[in-house]
Amino acid sequence: MLLWFVIAYWVISVGIGLWASSRVHNAKDFAIAGRHLPFYMVTATVFATWFGSETVLGIPATFLQEGLHGVVADPFGSSMCLILVGLFFAAPLYRMNLLTIGDFYKQRYGRQVEVLTTIAIVISYLGWVGAQINALGLVFNVVSGGEISKLAGMIIGSGTILIYTIYGGMWAVAITDFLQMIIICVGMLYIGGEVSGMVGGVGNVVKHASDAGKFSFWPAPDLKEIIAFAAAWVTMMFGSIPQQDVFQRVQSSKTINIAIWGSVLGGSLYFIFAFVPMFLAYSATLIDPQMVQNLINKDPQLILPNLVLNHAPLIAQIMFFGALLSAIKSCASATLLAPSVTFTENILKPMVPHMTDHQLLRWMRIVTLTFTVLVTVYAVNSKLSIFKMVENAYQITLVMAFIPLACGVYWKRATNQGALTAIFLGLSTWLAVMIVGPEDPLIPAQFAGLIASVIGMLLGSLLPQWIAQPLPHEQSYLHRHASSEHHIS
């Protein structure tokens, strides 16, 4: 029964995504839904895109092993990312009326910075999308009782998500995200109520977790611990700001206020609902401690699915796996679309002069197909956990793209020489610490890269300029609109 429900749900959701393709008439419709999304849909797609496999499977597994201290990157860092985007970046970027985040770097700093940051952004999506594909394989394997292998589940999942993403683009993502947000919220709350009844109420679980030290959040008063804690937090909080999926939700909004507050509300809802899977997973330690003991060091990502399969009634299983599949699908479709659009617009299009809008749309779909194949191969061969795949994904954008974005919006003296220096120092420092640094460095590689990127931006912008700047009217346009962003009404 459960497997047939999963199949039926999968077919219906793909059908809805294909129906949404009727709204796609040009590249702008495909990339940013023609800038027509209302508030409720922007909020839903912000929430649903980030509520992925790592939220339902990865975060709870890490919480069981390390407590709140271990999940500082997600949901604490990731939800703050969305709120910061809404408050400080949504308005200036929305006013620029761009198609991709790469267009910002091109207009502000020139072609070289555009290419380098775009490549970094595209590479960063390998880990995030790979985590969703990995989770799809796991879910199909679990609900089929092992009849569908994890590899086959990955291929089935990525292939079917590709179908509606490649045709419907951002419209398909937005419409399915809205429906999937409803399923996620209802499903998580329903299964939470069921599990709460098994363990004597929420208070009992909270007390047990508190007594076990799981709510210990802040690092020990040790320099190395504090730096590692800060590095984990900023990796997701800052590293995921210069991302095309976040930018698409800003640009797809019907108005500037929708862009701002849709992101803030979506991030807030994500933070709140991310604690439901953690509650469910910890409840397993009270309901089936033997199962938890068997899986905690082997594959803790399986604890929550096994708890539901072994101890919940059929309707609760349907609600849980419906919510889980919704979370994975919404996240996977968005993160397949984002890098494909960015690569086509900022790398491929400038290489093909006089490309028509129809040709651009076709190439976006071809690149989406190609990226899906590549990320599926990556997911199949990756040995990292879902949580680590997502956490590591943002290191490259943290060290290469965040400082040029933040300074490009809020520092008038930032130059493309500064941006290039920031990119070079950030990337080289990050790689040096990872490759030739100690196995457990005092300053983690991505944190060292971020510091080097800041230094590079300051030195490159303030020292004599050897590299030509973008056209004056391009910079003045940005600064004219960025100067008032501290006064959001």
Side-chain angles (χ1 to χ4, degrees), residues 166-325:
I166 203 172
Y167 286 105
M170 188 61 192
W171 270 116
V173 170
I175 292 173
T176 53
D177 276 1
F178 174 66
L179 298 175
Q180 286 159 358
M181 176 183 172
I182 297 172
I183 296 171
I184 290 169
C185 293
V186 173
M188 284 291 127
L189 291 176
Y190 181 87
I191 190 66
E194 287 286 322
V195 171
S196 177
M198 300 179 194
V199 294
V202 176
N204 191 38
V205 176
V206 171
K207 184 179 184 305
H208 195 279
S210 179
D211 292 342
K214 295 300 181 183
F215 291 150
S216 176
F217 179 69
W218 299 107
D222 174 79
L223 180 61
K224 187 174 182 179
E225 286 281 328
I226 293 171
I227 293 175
F229 181 84
W233 199 328
V234 301
T235 298
M236 292 286 280
M237 183 167 60
F238 293 155
S240 46
I241 287 178
Q243 288 286 353
Q244 176 63 16
D245 61 282
V246 178
F247 178 84
Q248 278 179 309
R249 276 128 196 85
V250 168
Q251 292 296 324
S252 298
S253 304
K254 189 180 292 186
T255 68
I256 193 169
N257 282 331
I258 291 174
I260 294 169
W261 299 113
S263 183
V264 171
L265 181 57
S268 302
L269 288 173
Y270 172 76
F271 180 76
I272 294 169
F273 273 88
F275 283 91
V276 178
M278 283 190 268
F279 163 77
L280 296 175
Y282 194 81
S283 297
T285 63
L286 305 180
I287 297 171
D288 194 344
Q290 187 59 49
M291 181 268 290
V292 173
Q293 187 64 35
N294 292 338
L295 290 174
I296 191 67
N297 294 318
K298 181 181 178 183
D299 192 352
Q301 296 169 156
L302 289 172
I303 291 174
L304 188 48
N306 275 279
L307 169 70
V308 175
L309 281 175
N310 297 333
H311 297 280
L314 179 61
I315 183 62
Q317 294 178 22
I318 291 173
M319 296 295 286
F320 171 78
F321 284 102
L324 176 55
L325 286 171

Side-chain angles (χ1 to χ4, degrees), residues 126-131 133-134 150 154 301 374-390 392:
L126 282 174
W128 197 5
V129 188
I133 302 301
N134 188 299
K150 188 174 180 180
M154 289 183 183
Q301 296 169 156
L374 290 175
V375 81
T376 303
V377 172
Y378 171 80
V380 168
N381 291 283
S382 177
K383 303 301 181 184
L384 294 174
S385 69
I386 291 172
F387 186 84
K388 282 298 179 184
M389 288 174 76
V390 173
N392 291 343

Side-chain angles (χ1 to χ4, degrees), residues 30 49 122 125-126 128-130 132-133 136 154 157-166 169 173 244-245 248-249 328-344 364-376:
F30 187 84
T49 296
V122 171
Y125 278 97
L126 282 174
W128 197 5
V129 188
Q132 313 313 313
I133 302 301
L136 283 173
M154 289 183 183
S158 60
T160 49
I161 290 173
L162 171 67
I163 291 173
Y164 73 78
T165 305
I166 203 172
V173 170
Q244 176 63 16
D245 61 282
Q248 278 179 309
R249 276 128 196 85
I328 298 171
K329 286 173 75 281
S330 60
C331 190
S333 59
T335 49
L336 282 175
L337 179 66
S340 305
V341 168
T342 304
F343 182 86
T344 308
M364 283 181 179
R365 286 170 168 159
I366 292 172
V367 173
T368 303
L369 170 63
T370 305
F371 189 77
T372 304
V373 173
L374 290 175
V375 81
T376 303

Side-chain angles (χ1 to χ4, degrees), residues 3-133:
L3 179 59
W4 281 111
F5 165 78
V6 168
I7 293 172
Y9 170 75
W10 205 253
V11 171
I12 291 170
S13 59
V14 170
I16 293 172
L18 288 174
W19 169 77
S21 66
S22 63
R23 295 172 175 259
V24 177
H25 305 292
N26 52 51
K28 189 174 182 180
D29 288 337
F30 187 84
I32 54 174
R35 290 192 128 194
H36 291 313
L37 297 187
F39 178 72
Y40 69 89
M41 200 169 283
V42 172
T43 301
T45 193
V46 168
F47 170 86
T49 296
W50 282 71
F51 203 99
S53 62
E54 72 284 358
T55 315
V56 184
L57 301 176
I59 293 175
T62 305
F63 174 72
L64 285 178
Q65 294 175 308
E66 304 177 35
L68 278 184
H69 180 81
V71 296
V72 59
D74 195 4
F76 290 92
S78 54
S79 57
M80 277 303 301
C81 157
L82 298 173
I83 293 170
L84 291 175
V85 166
L87 294 178
F88 297 103
F89 293 94
L93 293 177
Y94 186 87
R95 288 192 178 107
M96 293 180 72
N97 194 21
L98 306 173
L99 193 65
T100 69
I101 187 69
D103 290 341
F104 167 84
Y105 293 103
K106 178 182 180 180
Q107 187 172 117
R108 183 63 173 84
Y109 298 115
R111 175 65 178 161
Q112 290 176 308
V113 176
E114 174 196 17
V115 171
L116 292 171
T117 52
T118 297
I119 291 173
I121 290 166
V122 171
I123 291 173
S124 74
Y125 278 97
L126 282 174
W128 197 5
V129 188
Q132 313 313 313
I133 302 301

